[in-house]
Amino acid sequence: MREQLERRAFLLLLAAVTIAFGFILEPFWGAIFWACAVAVIFAPLQALLMRKLGDKPNTVALLTLMICMTIVVIPVIFLSVAFVQEGVQFYQRLNSGEIDPKQILTQLRDAFPLFDRALIELGIDTEGLRERIASAALEVSRFLARETFTIGQSTFSFLISLALMMYLAFFLLRDGSKLVQLMIRALPLGDEREQALFQKFAEVTRATVKGNLVVAVVQGALGGFIFWILDIPGPLLWGVVMAFLSLIPAVGAAIIWFPVGLYLYATGDWISATVLMAYGAVVIGLADNVLRPILVGRDTKLPDYVVLFSTIGGIALFGINGFVIGPLVAALFMATWQIFMTEFNAD
């Protein structure tokens, strides 16, 4: 009886200190998550270097981390600096009234009167709708500009998080296999199940991050390029925004280039508008429709609709980190239920 009481008390203590430790680490969850992602994504490179250089875990982990910084972190930092500069300029133009969302909507209404008449025939108050859309567009524009401005002001916090992420990633690269084995020993789920779940975690994280980032970079670069060719202001700013939005499957970058194409039609620039619409539908859209199923859906072994809903839900709950966390949770959900059906619900 006493032994059972002690066991329950210890398990209660274990749960309490684990939850407390989780709360302590809560401010660093983003850095911890991306450190784990870096370790998982660059694990094949680390294994290759280990075969080439021999059993030198510190050297191999440091070299892997330096390669990661060279091909990922440093370009992102330079891109972020340029993005913030264009974002600040956009914010200033918005505040000065040089950019007026209400005027843009008026131009769109005048250019597409048939759409306005169709709304009236449906009994929709177009004036009130226009005011609400203008107000919403203004708020979204100001929010985007403020967030860009805030990124520039929180550089120190970003650098601290980046340093913590890279610091932890070094130890995860060096000791990752040992930590996985330790977790397998500690978790009371059964070694085979834990191996399967850890394998699924690695597969989905690697496929989702690499796949979505490749699609985002390609769509952002293509979008920024056509904006630059057509002399649309802020091509780098809108290219980066399109890259972020492309993390949302199906719609993504079209949230930016399609309204810009309509605006170009409304202002009479028919050639630029037609080029942008055709380029967006064929070139940018093709990058999403072709690359995403190949790089994300195939490797995660998730249906396209599950990838779509889990990505949007993940971003809604966890912010930018959700584009990985959402599909990861979905994949673990399906893997866990597959184990349950195989082991506990067999005929």
Side-chain angles (χ1 to χ4, degrees):
M1 181 67 180
R2 181 175 177 80
E3 182 180 349
Q4 190 177 34
L5 179 62
E6 289 176 352
R7 185 180 183 86
R8 290 177 179 176
F10 175 75
L11 291 175
L12 183 62
L13 175 63
L14 177 65
V17 296
T18 302
I19 293 172
F21 187 61
F23 276 111
I24 290 173
L25 295 181
E26 192 271 335
F28 312 107
W29 274 122
I32 294 171
F33 172 76
W34 283 107
C36 294
V38 166
V40 168
I41 293 168
F42 286 89
L45 175 62
Q46 181 195 21
L48 176 63
L49 293 174
M50 187 72 77
R51 289 195 297 270
K52 298 289 185 181
L53 300 177
D55 189 16
K56 300 177 181 178
N58 286 314
T59 303
V60 170
L62 184 60
L63 186 57
T64 304
L65 203 59
M66 290 175 64
I67 294 173
C68 171
M69 292 186 66
T70 302
I71 65 177
V72 177
V73 177
I74 293 175
V76 167
I77 290 176
F78 280 113
L79 185 63
S80 299
V81 171
F83 171 71
V84 168
Q85 289 175 345
E86 284 203 3
V88 170
Q89 293 174 3
F90 176 73
Y91 181 77
Q92 292 171 343
R93 293 175 66 192
L94 190 66
N95 270 352
S96 65
E98 185 178 349
I99 298 177
D100 186 357
K102 188 176 291 188
Q103 181 183 0
I104 293 173
L105 284 173
T106 301
Q107 290 175 314
L108 288 171
R109 181 201 63 182
D110 295 339
F112 302 103
L114 291 177
F115 182 71
D116 206 44
R117 292 173 192 166
L119 291 177
I120 294 174
E121 290 179 1
L122 291 173
I124 298 175
D125 179 10
T126 56
E127 289 298 328
L129 179 63
R130 192 177 304 116
E131 288 295 325
R132 288 194 294 271
I133 293 176
S135 177
L138 185 61
E139 287 301 317
V140 170
S141 302
R142 284 180 175 169
F143 172 78
L144 174 62
R146 282 198 306 268
E147 288 300 307
T148 306
F149 195 70
T150 301
I151 292 172
Q153 292 179 320
S154 58
T155 304
F156 180 74
S157 175
F158 169 76
L159 292 176
I160 292 295
S161 296
L162 179 63
L164 290 173
M165 182 197 77
M166 302 307 289
Y167 176 78
L168 179 58
F170 170 80
F171 290 102
L172 292 177
L173 285 166
R174 191 189 70 178
D175 305 322
S177 59
K178 296 178 182 177
L179 291 173
V180 169
Q181 292 303 317
L182 183 63
M183 292 179 68
I184 289 174
R185 287 181 56 196
L187 293 173
L189 300 176
D191 289 357
E192 291 185 5
R193 298 182 198 127
E194 291 158 8
Q195 289 279 11
L197 291 175
F198 278 121
Q199 182 66 29
K200 178 60 69 173
F201 174 86
E203 288 177 359
V204 174
T205 301
R206 194 175 293 123
T208 305
V209 173
K210 288 196 302 183
N212 278 327
L213 287 184
V214 167
V215 173
V217 169
V218 170
Q219 287 198 304
L222 291 172
F225 173 74
I226 194 62
F227 273 40
W228 176 67
I229 290 293
L230 298 176
D231 199 27
I232 296 171
L236 178 61
L237 172 67
W238 296 116
V240 173
V241 173
M242 280 187 275
F244 276 113
L245 290 174
S246 70
L247 298 174
I248 304 173
V251 286
I255 297 174
I256 299 297
W257 62 258
F258 186 76
V260 173
L262 290 179
Y263 175 72
L264 291 175
Y265 276 124
T267 56
D269 194 351
W270 286 76
I271 296 177
S272 295
T274 303
V275 168
L276 179 59
M277 288 294 202
Y279 183 92
V282 177
V283 179
I284 300 178
L286 192 65
D288 184 70
N289 295 330
V290 173
L291 291 178
R292 194 183 300 275
I294 293 175
L295 296 174
V296 181
R298 183 185 66 185
D299 291 339
T300 59
K301 300 178 178 63
L302 292 175
D304 291 343
Y305 58 87
V306 174
V307 175
L308 171 63
F309 282 98
S310 60
T311 300
I312 296 175
I315 292 174
L317 287 175
F318 302 104
I320 190 62
N321 297 332
F323 84 90
V324 179
I325 297 176
L328 177 60
V329 172
L332 292 177
F333 168 81
M334 298 184 74
T336 305
W337 274 98
Q338 182 63 44
I339 292 172
F340 173 77
M341 289 188 294
T342 301
E343 298 186 13
F344 297 93
N345 203 26
D347 293 330

